Amino acid sequence: EAGVTQFPSHSVIEKGQTVTLRCDPISGHDNLYWYRRVMGKEIKFLLHFVKESKQDESGMPNNRFLAERTGGTYSTLKVQPAELEDSGVYFCASSQTWEAGRLGLAGIWDTQYFGPGTRLTVL
Amino acid sequence: DAKTTQPNSMESNEEEPVHLPCNHSTISGTDYIHWYRQLPSQGPEYVIHGLTSNVNNRMASLAIAEDRKSSTLILHRATLRDAAVYYCILRPPFSGNTGKLIFGQGTTLQVKP
């Protein structure tokens, strides 16, 4: 089974340009997450899709970031215009749908499978 | 969000056991304890999780204190491939809220040959 893939693996752009990152989740995974690690900081959550809907976008830093997941399959994260502080590694993760109700377990959650990340450098 | 505290770094010799501690004194009664690790140049990967009882899987063991205010990830025989940053993460039970993972700084484990 193919894992989570991300494209490109590296991207170097100049301040003010636009960059689009792509994530292909594991087939059948309804949950898709974006995280990022900027230099010297911890990995931070950006947003969470359930199929094509945004479940939680509380981590998106500002309106220069736009995430989409049309059709509930792959997702894109666009940064426009890019700033120097956007440099870092962007991770995508996917997981299967929670089925707490069906399984009758209050503590169900998901195991997230991460991609290798996209290293973004803004000059 | 409940907070965890881990040592910044630890060292181990190859083929020896490693005990990675995590303090979570503000854990709620329903929070699960998850561990992820990040190998160099890779994304994080799931290691193990537990609620109250100790847990074992093919990768590691998780020992949870009786009061649940701390836990220890145990690698029974460290290999060079286990050199990574290990994250201890608390997760509330699913209730329709987001399943975001909240990463701290983690523990950087160095394994010496």
Side-chain angles (χ1 to χ4, degrees):
Chain A
E1 177 182 288
V4 176
T5 58
Q6 293 187 244
F7 182 83
S9 57
H10 293 85
S11 181
V12 180
I13 62 173
E14 294 190 351
K15 176 182 172 180
Q17 289 186 325
T18 298
V19 63
T20 300
L21 312 180
R22 173 169 169 145
C23 168
D24 285 78
I26 293 172
S27 178
H29 280 192
D30 289 339
N31 295 295
L32 188 149
Y33 301 84
W34 284 99
Y35 296 85
R36 75 171 180 176
R37 183 207 294 274
V38 296
M39 185 65 69
K41 298 292 183 64
E42 299 158 3
I43 299 172
K44 294 289 189 184
F45 164 81
L46 295 178
L47 89 160
H48 169 207
F49 284 100
V50 177
K51 297 184 180 179
E52 67 275 8
S53 299
K54 292 176 183 175
Q55 178 74 18
D56 180 359
E57 49 185 328
S58 62
M60 295 288 265
N62 52 61
N63 59 10
R64 295 186 295 103
F65 289 75
L66 175 65
E68 295 181 323
R69 192 183 182 196
T70 306
T73 55
Y74 71 91
S75 174
T76 58
L77 179 64
K78 180 189 290 187
V79 185
Q80 179 183 27
E83 298 289 345
L84 298 179
E85 63 264 26
D86 300 332
S87 295
V89 182
Y90 290 75
F91 295 103
C92 173
S94 72
S95 67
Q96 292 180 321
T97 306
W98 295 313
E99 296 182 340
R102 184 174 72 84
L103 296 176
L105 298 172
I108 201 77
W109 25 243
D110 61 339
T111 294
Q112 296 182 20
Y113 298 86
F114 283 77
T118 292
R119 180 173 296 278
L120 174 65
T121 302
V122 182
L123 302 176
Chain B
D1 296 323
K3 183 174 174 60
T4 62
T5 304
Q6 300 177 251
N8 287 334
S9 63
M10 291 185 64
E11 281 188 0
S12 172
N13 293 319
E14 195 175 13
E15 298 191 2
E16 290 186 354
V18 182
H19 291 232
L20 298 165
C22 180
N23 287 320
H24 30 77
S25 58
T26 59
I27 189 172
S28 76
T30 53
D31 284 342
Y32 278 71
I33 302 160
H34 284 238
W35 285 79
Y36 278 72
R37 71 179 184 180
Q38 185 177 16
L39 303 171
S41 301
Q42 296 187 27
E45 65 175 357
Y46 167 81
V47 177
I48 200 168
H49 74 273
L51 182 63
T52 57
S53 303
N54 294 344
V55 184
N56 300 296
N57 67 20
R58 63 174 180 82
M59 290 180 70
S61 296
L62 177 60
I64 301 172
E66 193 170 336
D67 63 4
R68 299 203 337 118
K69 293 183 183 301
S70 66
S71 61
T72 302
L73 179 70
I74 302 166
L75 307 178
H76 294 286
R77 289 183 66 208
T79 68
L80 296 179
R81 192 189 176 279
D82 291 321
V85 180
Y86 287 78
Y87 298 98
C88 171
I89 299 170
L90 301 183
R91 302 192 73 184
F94 170 64
S95 60
N97 294 327
T98 182
K100 65 183 178 184
L101 295 173
I102 300 173
F103 290 86
Q105 291 192 327
T107 296
T108 299
L109 174 66
Q110 291 182 317
V111 180
K112 296 182 290 185

